[in-house]
Amino acid sequence: MIDFLREHQTLLLLLFPVVTAFVGSWLGAWIQARGGMAQAKAALAAAETSAAAANAAAETAAAAALSVVQKQAEADHATYLRGQCTTAISGLLDAVREYVRAVDKTYSSSETDPLDQAYSDFVHARTTIELVAPAVLASATARVVTTAELLADLAEDRSAAERARQRLDAELLANPVAVARARNQLSSLQASCDAAGDGLLPPQHREVSTALLNTGILEPPAVAALIVDCLKPDLDRVRAQLTDDHQLALRVFITAARATLGVRD
């Protein structure tokens, strides 16, 4: 071995720097490669962390944006419903007042077209408020409707007699004797019916009917309405009581409506 080294000493001395350089280069490349892998892994981990943070931030931003949109939609819907409720409340008030005015006019006029239109508007307004108004208004609404309908029922039952009575009064100056006689007999019949209180007409109603017809002012249906009306309680008293009940119902409804809409004095 020693002889070999001695014989090839010159060659080995020439190769040694080359081998040393090669080994050094290889070792440096290996070390650099290992460092690059570590850097790559670190960069990948950092990228993954950054991506996760970005995703979380995006999800948070999306959730916040969705919450804002939902809240705005809810606010818009509440505003819309409030507007609908306000319109329905004012619509019912206008309709019921017009209806009651039309009902009152039937005591002096037999024209039915205004009443029919007012009733149609009243029904529409009642239906609308039942659909859009909150449940807390249901009772107050029902009371307004009921009292208005009671006034209408009274007018339907007794307006014909009242119109006949007004026609007699209007002709008193033109035909004082006949009209006064008929009115006196009618008052006497009314007193007899009130005293008896049995819901039956006394025999004198035939004489009263004849006296009313003899005035030449009233037709038989109007005379019949006056005679039958004698069996009923005083119209002015009943009408005043129902009107008071209706006005009270309106005040209660308005108070409840203002509270529903958040109106404060």
Side-chain angles (χ1 to χ4, degrees):
M1 183 64 181
I2 295 174
D3 292 337
F4 176 81
L5 293 175
R6 286 175 180 174
E7 292 174 359
H8 297 84
Q9 179 177 3
T10 302
L11 178 61
L12 292 174
L13 290 173
L14 292 174
L15 292 175
F16 181 76
V18 175
V19 173
T20 303
F22 173 77
V23 172
S25 297
W26 178 84
L27 182 60
W30 181 80
I31 293 173
Q32 186 176 8
R34 292 294 300 270
M37 292 177 62
Q39 289 177 351
K41 289 182 180 179
L44 179 60
E48 290 176 347
T49 302
S50 177
N55 288 337
E59 291 176 357
T60 301
L66 179 59
S67 177
V68 170
V69 171
Q70 289 176 334
K71 289 180 179 178
Q72 184 60 50
E74 291 172 357
D76 291 344
H77 184 61
T79 300
Y80 172 77
L81 289 180
R82 178 185 173 87
Q84 290 289 95
C85 185
T86 302
T87 301
I89 289 170
S90 61
L92 178 65
L93 288 173
D94 291 341
V96 74
R97 285 166 175 160
E98 184 58 34
Y99 180 48
V100 171
R101 280 194 291 267
V103 166
D104 288 342
K105 289 179 181 178
T106 63
Y107 287 102
S108 58
S109 172
S110 58
E111 176 62 41
T112 60
D113 288 346
L115 178 62
D116 293 341
Q117 182 60 53
Y119 178 71
S120 177
D121 295 341
F122 169 64
V123 171
H124 176 74
R126 180 183 63 189
T127 302
T128 300
I129 200 167
E130 288 172 349
L131 290 175
V132 304
V136 294
L137 281 181
S139 177
T141 300
R143 187 58 184 162
V144 168
V145 170
T146 297
T147 54
E149 290 177 338
L150 288 174
L151 283 168
D153 291 343
L154 179 68
E156 183 178 8
D157 181 44
R158 305 191 64 178
S159 60
E162 179 61 20
R163 290 195 302 271
R165 192 174 290 109
Q166 292 174 9
R167 288 173 62 189
L168 280 178
D169 292 343
E171 295 294 327
L172 182 60
L173 294 178
N175 192 0
V177 176
V179 171
R181 182 186 302 111
R183 284 302 307 266
N184 289 337
Q185 289 181 326
L186 186 64
S187 297
S188 177
L189 177 63
Q190 178 75 64
S192 298
C193 291
D194 291 344
D198 55 6
L200 300 175
L201 287 171
Q204 72 188 85
H205 78 273
R206 297 183 180 87
E207 297 177 5
V208 178
S209 296
T210 300
L212 289 170
L213 288 171
N214 288 340
T215 63
I217 299 170
L218 302 176
E219 300 80 12
V223 171
L226 275 174
I227 296 299
V228 172
D229 201 63
C230 291
L231 294 171
K232 301 170 184 178
D234 180 70
L235 175 61
D236 291 340
R237 179 175 55 81
V238 176
R239 190 177 172 189
Q241 181 60 58
L242 291 181
T243 298
D244 288 345
D245 292 344
H246 180 64
Q247 292 300 321
L248 176 60
L250 281 175
R251 289 194 295 271
V252 171
F253 174 81
I254 292 171
T255 300
R258 287 169 60 87
T260 299
L261 298 175
V263 178
R264 294 180 174 82
D265 293 331

